Amino acid sequence: MKFYTLLLLLIYTGCFVTIGQPIQKHGPSEVYYVEDIVEGKDGRLFLSATGGLYYSDDVGDTWQRADALINSTTFHPYFATNDKNGDLYAWGNSGTFSTSDNGATWKFHIFIMPSGGIEISDLGIDGDTLFIGTKNGLYYVHGTDVVRYPTEISALQGNEVTALHVDGETVVAGTKSGKVFVSSDLGDQWEDKSNGLPGGFEVKGFTTAGSTWYVYSQLMGVYYSNDGGSSWLPKNSGFAVEQVNKIFADDEYLYAATNSYENVYRSDLGGGSWTLIDNGIPNETLPNAIYVKDNNIIVGGWHGIFKSNNDGNSYERSQTGITDAFVFRTMQVAPDGTIWAAGSHTGVYRMTPGEEIFTLLPGVVWSGNFGSSLLKGNILPIVQDYVTKLYDVGDNTWKQEYQYINVPLADKFLQTAQGIFLSSRSNGVFRYTGTTFFTPFNDGLVSLAVTDLIDIGDKMIAATDDGLYIRGAADPQWERISFSAEDQGVRRLFIHGSLYILTANDFNVYLSNDEGETWKLVEDLKSKDVSAYAVAVNGVLYAASFAAIYVSTDGGEQWVKRDLPYAANSSIVVSGERLFIGTIEQGIWSTALKFDQQITFTNTPETVNQQSPYTLSATTTSGLPITYTVVSGPGTVAGNVLTVSGEGDIVVRASQAGDDIYNPSIKEHTFLAEIVTGIEDEGEPDFSIYPNPVDHTINVVLGNVLKNGSIRLIGPQGQTIQRGQVQGSVEIPAEHLPAGIYFLQYSNGKTTTIKKIVKK
């Protein structure tokens, strides 16, 4: 009599489903300041700005932030190129770097100066020879080692070298004293070539076009020489102001970026007059960088990058991919879903529902710091250094203006039932008394460095770098709120109903659920230096630290960490299903509110069989419970136990429904069912097993028909316990096996037979 046993071979299908989105960038397309623009290899442009280093492969139409260690919010380099091979050098207050592969990788250079410290003002490079201009003089160094020892050029010591140009054996050095020195033998001998330059010229830069040399100054414009610097002539006719920040020469024209409201000029390559070509560039740009290629002109300065593709007849902003507004210390959401963000030194921005990029609010002057006042109703106070303007976000109109002359570093403006108050990050709290006068409201404050000021109805809470204080308008002074054993300062304060959360100067987080009566240290946020807090409509709390977000669903008692890309986070808000993150010099990002979670099947056996149900096992990164279902195939699941009922593919799904922190997730396994036949004909002896049930040893004896082959002992859940070869007979130890049902499989390559064994 023949029988059939169903073996299930587990095969991973790789199906993993999550709900959620990665980090999305929302701009704004804004920079606080552009430092320099230069062309690298293969036409790639490099841009240095607040927020980091950018490059463009389409002549400035779009930009991408460099993905390299050189990219830093604190390193805004100038550029220089190697005269021999086009390698790019970047230098500034954080050191000197070079790249030979067009910005993919950067090499750090360490210069051990003979006179100690160094402050580089310009570089000139010719192959392996590097000239270093400093405030103390000119140096040179040979080679390519990371650490090198420059040698001073004695002829220029004591001169502040502000400009360098290398062309073959010719080296030109300009100084702040208005001198131009020229060497025709790569720095050995030097001549003073300043004849014709006015006293006090203060050389800022130098360039050439053919045989003509140009030197320029921030105070006295441009001079040119056609005789290798032996004589210089002025080239300033047409300038409104002779204050030049940068010049650029191509094969046909000379271009100048000037330090005036009339920004960009063009002239011939001789002594002709300058023509203004800045239509479309805002007056306050004051360009510091300029680059020209064909009919494209790119200009960068304060608050913008502008491009003309029609020889300067008109300009458009050229900042796609730039997300560099200075510091987003505050963001908030209006009732209609519009998000408002204040960028220190750059302006106030908004993004309405359906938009993807933050845009600048018109009517706000680009000057000084912008405060962190909160939206109240429809009124958004926009705090600048000497004026607060009230903007109605409901009808997009300006409502009122408050000027003040005695509140430096103004930050928070509160319009309360008790009056109008203004806090300063350096001079305390002030109360409005009419006209332009705000009077100090500081009685009881030990420190006047106010980090937060929040209206709680009949009183205000002030956080300072000395502690936490509370006061009503009629109270004689501020009273301290003790939140820890030490009276220490507060870095950030968040209040939501009766919940108070603060980050203290010890970088720890303290929490009160009873309006500041009692406090506790939040262990999960210990030493995390949380910079901002937010709450979602379902009461879930979010806390932002450097490159991380923490989430709590129990009122701040416990927190779960979520890592973010490398960035200094300074503010967060919740809008819709996304968390928006304001950063320092990297713009505004958003991410889905919830974490993704990942499911992994564990302890998956090689096979399972029809006779014994299989216990499913899986884990998830959230730690939440998993539900199992059969998607298709001959099987059923009860809890976590799979029972097989026939032949075919069985798809089992592990699901986790998610919660307030985690997104739903599923993962699937496919079980491939394979029929294996056994032979048990009474007329044809095969092999015998004894004793059965077994106690200590399984004896296997082959019959007359079967030849030598392999055997496999299979456990109750389909797992292989032991493999081996059999020649006539074999003994298998069994005393260590747990009681249960086992199977012994024999195979000789032509036939496979399975017998059932019972272990006592």
Side-chain angles (χ1 to χ4, degrees):
M1 181 180 69
K2 294 184 178 180
F3 70 93
Y4 300 88
T5 301
L6 187 65
L7 297 181
L8 303 179
L9 307 180
L10 302 185
I11 299 177
Y12 173 51
T13 65
C15 179
F16 173 48
V17 180
T18 59
I19 301 173
Q21 295 181 0
I23 286 287
Q24 180 179 352
K25 294 186 177 182
H26 299 277
S29 293
E30 175 66 284
V31 294
Y32 178 45
Y33 189 62
V34 174
E35 202 79 75
D36 204 1
I37 305 172
V38 73
E39 181 177 346
K41 298 176 181 179
D42 301 323
R44 172 171 286 184
L45 298 187
F46 288 87
L47 170 75
S48 169
T50 53
L53 192 66
Y54 291 80
Y55 65 88
S56 172
D57 290 321
D58 52 16
V59 200
D61 285 342
T62 59
W63 297 91
Q64 183 171 333
R65 199 166 190 263
D67 184 16
L69 290 177
I70 189 178
N71 197 359
S72 166
T73 60
T74 60
F75 183 47
H76 314 148
Y78 288 95
F79 298 119
T81 53
N82 191 320
D83 184 54
K84 289 286 179 64
N85 56 26
D87 288 355
L88 181 65
Y89 282 70
W91 52 270
N93 58 4
S94 293
T96 302
F97 299 80
S98 67
T99 176
S100 59
D101 52 14
N102 224 16
T105 59
W106 294 82
K107 177 182 178 181
F108 184 50
H109 300 269
I110 300 175
F111 303 127
I112 309 299
M113 304 300 291
S115 57
I118 178 175
E119 185 174 344
I120 297 175
S121 52
D122 204 358
L123 296 179
I125 308 103
D126 180 77
D128 291 342
T129 300
L130 181 67
F131 293 90
I132 307 170
T134 77
K135 287 191 173 183
N136 300 322
L138 183 63
Y139 300 80
Y140 72 92
V141 64
H142 298 299
T144 59
D145 295 337
V146 172
V147 179
R148 282 173 282 174
Y149 297 84
T151 301
E152 67 180 23
I153 295 177
S154 58
L156 273 71
Q157 287 308 297
N159 289 281
E160 182 174 344
V161 178
T162 54
L164 286 169
H165 177 78
V166 181
D167 185 4
E169 296 289 307
T170 300
V171 183
V172 183
T175 71
K176 189 174 182 179
S177 62
K179 297 290 187 178
V180 174
F181 296 91
V182 180
S183 171
S184 58
D185 54 7
L186 206 58
D188 285 342
Q189 302 294 322
W190 293 84
E191 293 182 75
D192 185 344
K193 296 277 190 173
S194 307
N195 185 38
L197 293 178
F201 186 72
E202 296 191 8
V203 176
K204 179 172 176 62
F206 184 92
T207 193
T208 64
S211 61
T212 304
W213 293 4
Y214 301 92
V215 66
Y216 57 97
S217 165
Q218 279 189 318
L219 300 175
M220 298 180 181
V222 180
Y223 279 68
Y224 72 99
S225 173
N226 289 317
D227 53 15
S230 296
S231 61
W232 295 91
L233 298 171
K235 185 179 173 61
N236 292 320
S237 176
F239 280 149
V241 178
E242 297 174 0
Q243 297 176 350
V244 178
N245 287 334
K246 193 80 169 181
I247 61 173
F248 186 96
D250 63 13
D251 294 336
E252 188 175 1
Y253 294 108
L254 190 68
Y255 299 83
T258 69
N259 193 33
S260 70
Y261 283 165
E262 295 176 328
N263 297 285
V264 182
Y265 293 82
R266 179 174 58 208
S267 177
D268 60 30
L269 294 177
S273 181
W274 294 94
T275 301
L276 184 65
I277 54 165
D278 74 342
N279 183 36
I281 303 177
N283 288 339
E284 61 272 11
T285 300
L286 303 179
N288 188 58
I290 185 168
Y291 169 83
V292 181
K293 185 172 185 178
D294 300 326
N295 62 342
N296 298 292
I297 305 173
I298 301 173
V299 177
W302 291 97
H303 307 290
I305 307 160
F306 300 88
K307 178 180 177 180
S308 171
N309 57 12
N310 55 17
D311 290 321
N313 292 319
S314 62
Y315 291 81
E316 299 288 341
R317 284 187 177 268
S318 177
Q319 297 177 179
T320 302
I322 302 290
T323 56
D324 278 353
F326 200 57
V327 178
F328 286 101
R329 190 168 179 267
T330 182
M331 291 193 300
Q332 46 212 298
V333 183
D336 67 352
T338 298
I339 303 175
W340 295 85
S344 174
H345 291 80
T346 53
V348 177
Y349 304 83
R350 63 184 171 192
M351 187 175 74
T352 59
E355 294 181 332
E356 295 295 329
I357 298 295
F358 280 82
T359 57
L360 191 67
L361 174 66
V364 181
V365 178
W366 281 329
S367 66
N369 292 290
F370 289 85
S372 58
S373 291
L374 300 177
L375 181 71
K376 188 173 183 179
N378 280 331
I379 300 301
L380 176 67
I382 297 175
V383 178
Q384 293 178 254
D385 281 340
Y386 301 105
V387 64
T388 291
K389 297 181 178 180
L390 302 185
Y391 189 78
D392 192 320
V393 301
D395 57 18
N396 294 320
T397 59
W398 296 99
K399 294 299 185 184
Q400 197 168 352
E401 180 177 297
Y402 295 88
Q403 295 182 349
Y404 41 86
I405 59 176
N406 61 332
V407 189
L409 294 178
D411 185 30
K412 281 283 187 73
F413 180 92
L414 296 184
Q415 197 167 24
T416 75
Q418 308 170 73
I420 295 172
F421 297 88
L422 184 65
S423 69
S424 162
R425 293 195 292 276
S426 64
N427 280 44
V429 180
F430 293 78
R431 187 176 189 175
Y432 181 66
T433 56
T435 65
T436 61
F437 293 100
F438 281 75
T439 59
F441 194 69
N442 294 324
D443 294 336
L445 293 181
V446 176
S447 169
L448 300 184
V450 179
T451 55
D452 250 318
L453 183 66
I454 298 178
D455 177 24
I456 58 170
D458 60 340
K459 293 183 183 293
M460 293 178 293
I461 303 287
T464 78
D465 66 2
D466 169 72
L468 193 65
Y469 295 84
I470 186 169
R471 184 180 182 181
D475 294 339
Q477 66 177 24
W478 292 93
E479 299 293 338
R480 182 185 290 272
I481 299 175
S482 294
F483 58 85
S484 68
E486 300 84 14
D487 287 329
Q488 57 180 313
V490 179
R491 299 167 65 84
R492 204 64 188 263
L493 174 65
F494 175 77
I495 295 179
H496 181 69
S498 61
L499 174 67
Y500 293 8
I501 306 178
L502 62 84
T503 306
N505 279 352
D506 61 3
F507 307 116
N508 292 326
V509 171
Y510 297 85
L511 175 146
S512 170
N513 280 309
D514 53 12
E515 298 182 346
E517 292 294 327
T518 59
W519 293 82
K520 64 180 68 176
L521 174 69
V522 180
E523 291 292 339
D524 289 341
L525 300 180
K526 194 172 182 179
S527 301
K528 296 300 187 294
D529 193 18
V530 173
S531 57
Y533 301 90
V535 62
V537 293
N538 57 356
V540 176
L541 296 171
Y542 296 86
S545 183
F546 189 86
I549 293 291
Y550 297 84
V551 187
S552 173
T553 59
D554 60 1
E557 299 286 341
Q558 296 177 308
W559 297 79
V560 176
K561 183 183 179 184
R562 177 178 186 177
D563 290 327
L564 293 173
Y566 186 87
N569 304 320
S570 59
S571 57
I572 52 175
V573 293
V574 174
S575 180
E577 296 299 317
R578 298 190 71 79
L579 181 72
F580 289 81
I581 307 158
T583 71
I584 297 176
E585 296 186 330
Q586 293 191 50
I588 300 172
W589 304 350
S590 75
T591 184
L593 286 179
K594 298 181 181 181
F595 295 82
D596 289 337
Q597 55 175 322
Q598 194 166 10
I599 296 174
T600 302
F601 277 91
T602 60
N603 299 323
T604 305
E606 184 179 348
T607 61
V608 296
N609 57 71
Q610 185 179 15
Q611 283 78 8
S612 298
Y614 170 59
T615 301
L616 299 167
S617 177
T619 62
T620 178
T621 51
S622 68
L624 296 172
I626 293 173
T627 300
Y628 302 94
T629 55
V630 172
V631 178
S632 62
T636 58
V637 171
N640 65 337
V641 177
L642 170 66
T643 300
V644 178
S645 58
E647 176 186 359
D649 287 346
I650 303 174
V651 179
V652 176
R653 173 177 294 168
S655 305
Q656 212 304 301
D659 60 8
D660 286 335
I661 296 181
Y662 291 95
N663 287 309
S665 180
I666 64 172
K667 192 172 185 179
E668 295 177 353
H669 266 300
T670 297
F671 295 80
L672 177 61
E674 180 182 82
I675 293 292
V676 180
T677 61
I679 303 172
E680 197 170 313
D681 292 341
E682 294 180 356
E684 296 182 357
D686 46 343
F687 72 87
S688 60
I689 298 173
Y690 67 90
N692 195 3
V694 65
D695 189 4
H696 298 291
T697 303
I698 304 172
N699 294 281
V700 181
V701 180
L702 298 182
N704 296 327
V705 176
L706 299 178
K707 305 298 183 183
N708 299 339
S710 63
I711 58 173
R712 181 161 65 109
L713 181 62
I714 301 171
Q717 294 186 341
Q719 72 273 29
T720 297
I721 296 174
Q722 185 173 333
R723 295 177 183 270
Q725 298 294 317
V726 58
Q727 296 181 359
S729 64
V730 68
E731 293 182 354
I732 301 174
E735 58 184 359
H736 65 286
L737 298 176
I741 304 297
Y742 294 83
F743 298 88
L744 189 72
Q745 174 185 294
Y746 163 84
S747 177
N748 62 9
K750 295 181 180 180
T751 184
T752 300
T753 301
I754 294 178
K755 285 186 177 291
K756 180 178 177 181
I757 301 172
V758 177
K759 174 65 169 63
K760 292 182 181 180

